[in-house]
Amino acid sequence: RAALTPWPFCRTLNGVNTQRVQALLVERRRLIKTKYGYRSAAAYRDKLFTERRYTNGDGRPCESVVLTQRGAKWLYSEYEKGKLDMKQDWDGRFSHILFDDQENVA
């Protein structure tokens, strides 16, 4: 099973400003930015997010967060409530890309 971080998950949601996803989660104290990447705030660890630690290709340590199923549902509900930062040219429709619908793939 592939792990999904908040950024690629939000890429499937119409209109979300994906450049702001991680920063917004940090501002709302769901994530903590570290010098190695992002970690989950303790209150949301294993509820909304799980953490992954790994070594990148340069041999440096990295940290990232992965959405749990509950976390993906929470993030989608934030989207539906209009609580995510949207692109300026957003068409106002709340929709998501279906992975099996090739016509929607950019």
Side-chain angles (χ1 to χ4, degrees):
R1 184 190 306 184
L4 195 59
T5 64
W7 181 77
F9 177 78
C10 286
R11 286 188 64 196
T12 69
L13 306 175
N14 180 48
V16 174
N17 182 347
T18 56
Q19 300 295 318
R20 289 273 308 136
V21 172
Q22 308 281 60
L24 184 66
L25 293 173
V26 169
E27 290 167 17
R28 292 190 184 162
R29 296 191 165 108
R30 301 300 194 277
L31 298 182
I32 300 165
K33 183 158 177 51
T34 70
K35 68 180 185 175
Y36 301 114
Y38 293 91
R39 297 188 65 192
S40 175
Y44 305 103
R45 190 173 303 123
D46 299 325
K47 294 176 180 79
L48 301 181
F49 311 101
T50 60
E51 297 178 349
R52 299 284 189 264
R53 291 183 181 86
Y54 57 94
T55 304
N56 71 8
D58 297 334
R60 293 181 296 164
C62 294
E63 298 174 321
S64 67
V65 293
V66 176
L67 289 168
T68 62
Q69 184 176 7
R70 182 176 168 192
K73 289 178 180 179
W74 171 80
L75 196 53
Y76 188 77
S77 73
E78 292 292 291
Y79 169 68
E80 287 184 315
K81 294 175 192 172
K83 293 186 175 182
L84 299 180
D85 292 344
M86 305 306 279
K87 296 177 185 173
Q88 289 184 356
D89 62 351
W90 175 50
D91 62 11
R93 292 183 317 143
F94 289 97
S95 62
H96 65 284
I97 295 171
L98 299 176
F99 293 107
D100 60 349
D101 185 356
Q102 293 300 312
E103 292 176 356
N104 287 332
V105 177

